[in-house]
Amino acid sequence: MVDCDGRAALEEIFRKASQENRAVLLPYLTAGLPDPISSLELFVAMAEAGADGFEVGIPYSDPLMDGPTIHEAGLAALRSGTSLGGGLEIAGAVAKETGKPVIAMSYVNPVLRIGIEKFATRSAELGISAVILADLPVDESAPFQEAFDAAGLGTVLFVAPTTGMERLRAVVQAEPVFLYGIAEVGVTGEREEASQRVGDLAASVRSVTDIPLVLGVGISTPDHAARAAAVADGVIVGSALVRRVLDAPDVASATESLSSAVSDLAKAVRV
Amino acid sequence: MTTPLPDGQGRFGEFGGRYAPETLMPALLKLEDAFQSAWADPTFHEELGELLRTFVGRPTPVYRADRLSTQLGLNLLLKREDLAHTGAHKINNTMGQALLTRRMGKPRIIAETGAGQHGVATATVCSLLGMECAVYMGVKDIERQALNVYRMELLGAKVIPVTSGAATLKDAVSEAMRDWVSTVEDTHYIIGSVVGPHPYPWMVRELQKVIGEELIVQLDGSSLARTPADVIVACVGGGSNSIGVFHPYLDEDVELVGVEAAGHGLETKEHGASLVAGSPGVLHGAETYMLQDDEGQVREAHSISAGLDYPGVGPEHAYFKEAGLARYVSVTDSEALEAFALLSETEGIIPALESAHAIAWVLREAESLAGKTVVVNLSGRGDKDVDQVKALNG
């Protein structure tokens, strides 16, 4: 019997937010930043400030989808000793401590290295809800999704502004737990301007499916988040939060800075 | 006839595939279609063939290295890719991809470079076709290949320094891919080797196999009564010159030997020998052999030669290794340096440090190769390496 609690907990926050007529807020931080113990504290602070769940980045040496901020954070976390195993443990601890669903974000290679099934089983045991692999397109996702399904984990798949309708249908047909809508043609990172393309992306997705759409990449401010929340079911904010941790002189000020940012973002997804 | 490789999913056996961010996937699919259509179009081949003849200088000659042959007791032939315009085989690929870029209607080209040879070859074809060009290069390589940096700038390209990771080829590929994720709608990425997500390993091989196709004809010519090759040797970093010479020989009774960089020695972990000492994984979009730790973090490679300083290898080589179609070996930095000096002194040819690895293996194995006809694909010339070698020799 597989344990479906993790995936169910994630589905539940979308249901609840939908009843409240708002989007969910999923802040992203790199696991192990600035160190394994403080990392957990930062997530707890964000939970108290109004996050609905989290995307926890597993540090990776060569993150092709990530811009300089998250790349730098990943290398820093690797240096302080958090790799795949440690990253998953932190992700699990975040789920347990905050009681909120956690999506682990990694790249394909570390998962293959320890073995897809072992990765899936371990993630499920730790209470992780779903997995995002940034370099896994739907074309290659079948063996991963099979193992994640068997372990009761959700699989997240991407749609981008460059994704045409035919590919969008293929992604939808794979039944991901949610669609990660890439709001900008580009890698993760802060942007000054709000994306002009999320409206079209959301409309295309809505025309073919009710699977929750969560927008991420380049969403940096409460204003960006509010615009994304107006057309989607959820919003991911990553680099803007990671930057606050990298720039903070100590853990206490990082915590304070994150709490204030997440609290503003949580208000923004509710308007 | 062997099965056509790769299959429709870009797989060479279990290797290859297309592990790329979704933003790039539509571009990769379009690129596959565009190349397929161009490659089936006689006018594309006509234009490419004409430029390869008149601009690149193909076919490159096969040279009999008599003095070294006598010294080693074997028949050593050199396929002179070092005589191709810009000094290496790299331009076979960039010429084809630049014509394809124009056909696709994209005005901007990006590339990565390690030794600088691919960067120069890309900058050259962009200048020829009037296209905007940006080349990503690790700062460590910018230092050791200063001459090539200036050549690229002379040719009108913008060289963008990469400081992440070890600041070498792997990091330059990653940064070029990140650029492409942001600019894919008006930019084509010319990868310099048979690496990356499908269709790159296939497309770059198709563009490089002119080396082996020429060689088959050249060794078959009755005019010089040449003997067919017994062994073909080529260095392997990403593996484009070696695939280019190996692939047309798959159905022939010839031993194929790929020489990887053992750097300071395989036991030191400071090397670039992904096939000899690595393990399967996914790097830069393809399943292949690579250097990594137990948790799948990519390890940094080392080689005295910037072009072999890469922790991965083309997926077709991974397949050749598993299927026993080619043999993969490695030589150290110091062996390559000895070969670099010996070829210069004995034959009047200064080889690229990359190509010196292939020569070095022949020197080491001379006894077991006695009496055989050995063809080394001399993938590039060594002008770019002279400063570095001079500094090492004090």
Side-chain angles (χ1 to χ4, degrees), chain A:
Chain A
M1 188 59 201
V2 293
D3 175 7
C4 289
D5 290 351
R7 180 176 173 143
L10 179 57
E11 286 164 343
E12 180 56 28
I13 63 166
F14 287 111
R15 214 166 10 244
K16 186 159 163 275
S18 163
Q19 283 164 6
E20 294 169 11
N21 203 19
R22 67 173 178 95
V24 302
L25 175 65
L26 301 172
Y28 168 103
L29 277 188
T30 305
L33 187 75
D35 62 75
I37 308 240
S38 317
S39 180
L40 182 57
E41 289 173 27
L42 298 181
F43 282 102
V44 170
M46 291 194 293
E48 286 164 0
D52 295 294
F54 299 101
E55 184 184 350
V56 178
I58 309 298
Y60 183 52
S61 54
D62 292 78
L64 285 182
M65 185 57 204
D66 288 306
T69 305
I70 291 178
H71 191 186
E72 182 189 338
L75 295 180
L78 280 171
R79 279 193 299 272
S80 73
T82 302
S83 182
L84 176 63
L88 287 180
E89 276 176 30
I90 290 169
V94 171
K96 284 201 180 67
E97 284 290 316
T98 64
K100 296 188 186 295
V102 164
I103 304 126
M105 186 272 192
S106 177
Y107 283 79
V108 167
N109 191 55
V111 176
L112 287 180
R113 183 62 171 166
I114 69 161
I116 302 176
E117 279 173 26
K118 197 173 157 195
F119 173 90
T121 312
R122 182 74 185 131
S123 298
E125 280 169 6
L126 287 166
I128 291 165
S129 292
V131 178
I132 299 177
L133 300 176
D135 53 351
L136 185 70
V138 65
D139 320 56
E140 303 279 0
S141 68
F144 293 84
Q145 204 167 355
E146 207 172 290
F148 296 167
D149 282 349
L153 288 173
T155 305
V156 178
L157 293 173
F158 291 91
V159 289
T162 49
T163 307
M165 286 309 285
E166 195 187 331
R167 279 190 68 75
L168 174 57
R169 285 197 189 89
V171 173
V172 164
Q173 220 159 43
E175 297 185 348
V177 63
F178 68 78
L179 290 162
Y180 188 131
I182 299 170
E184 293 276 359
V185 174
V187 293
T188 61
E190 292 171 78
R191 308 284 199 280
E192 286 189 3
E193 300 283 319
S195 169
Q196 300 302 308
R197 300 175 81 160
V198 293
D200 290 345
L201 181 65
S204 304
V205 168
R206 281 292 161 262
S207 73
V208 294
T209 184
D210 293 329
I211 294 174
L213 170 68
V214 178
L215 293 170
V217 179
I219 299 177
S220 315
T221 66
D223 174 54
H224 299 173
R227 288 165 191 257
V231 296
D233 305 292
V235 178
I236 292 173
V237 179
S239 298
L241 299 175
V242 171
R243 177 47 57 199
R244 285 171 181 255
V245 181
L246 290 173
D247 289 350
D250 52 48
V251 178
S253 44
T255 310
E256 203 183 306
S257 170
L258 281 181
S259 294
S260 132
V262 169
S263 157
D264 290 345
L265 291 166
K267 282 180 206 132
V269 300
R270 284 171 168 80
V271 289

Side-chain angles (χ1 to χ4, degrees), chain B residues 43-104:
Chain B
T43 61
F44 184 83
H45 282 275
E46 256 167 53
E47 188 175 15
L48 176 60
E50 177 69 9
L51 284 167
L52 289 179
R53 272 188 302 279
T54 59
F55 186 76
V56 174
R58 302 208 70 88
T60 57
V62 175
Y63 166 71
R64 269 193 352 198
D66 284 341
R67 294 212 327 133
L68 200 50
S69 292
T70 308
Q71 202 173 315
L72 297 174
L74 47 81
N75 183 25
L76 179 64
L77 304 177
L78 304 178
K79 173 65 172 161
R80 299 291 306 275
E81 290 301 297
D82 61 316
L83 293 178
H85 181 43
T86 70
H89 70 291
K90 294 291 187 186
I91 197 161
N92 304 331
N93 171 38
T94 61
M95 187 61 83
Q97 286 202 49
L99 290 178
L100 185 66
T101 307
R102 195 181 60 186
R103 201 177 151 107
M104 291 189 296

Side-chain angles (χ1 to χ4, degrees), chain B residues 287-308:
Chain B
E287 201 157 351
T288 185
Y289 270 76
M290 61 184 283
L291 304 178
Q292 57 183 326
D293 72 12
D294 291 341
E295 297 190 72
Q297 306 292 347
V298 185
R299 277 208 352 240
E300 280 162 13
H302 164 82
S303 170
I304 191 170
S305 125
L308 305 184

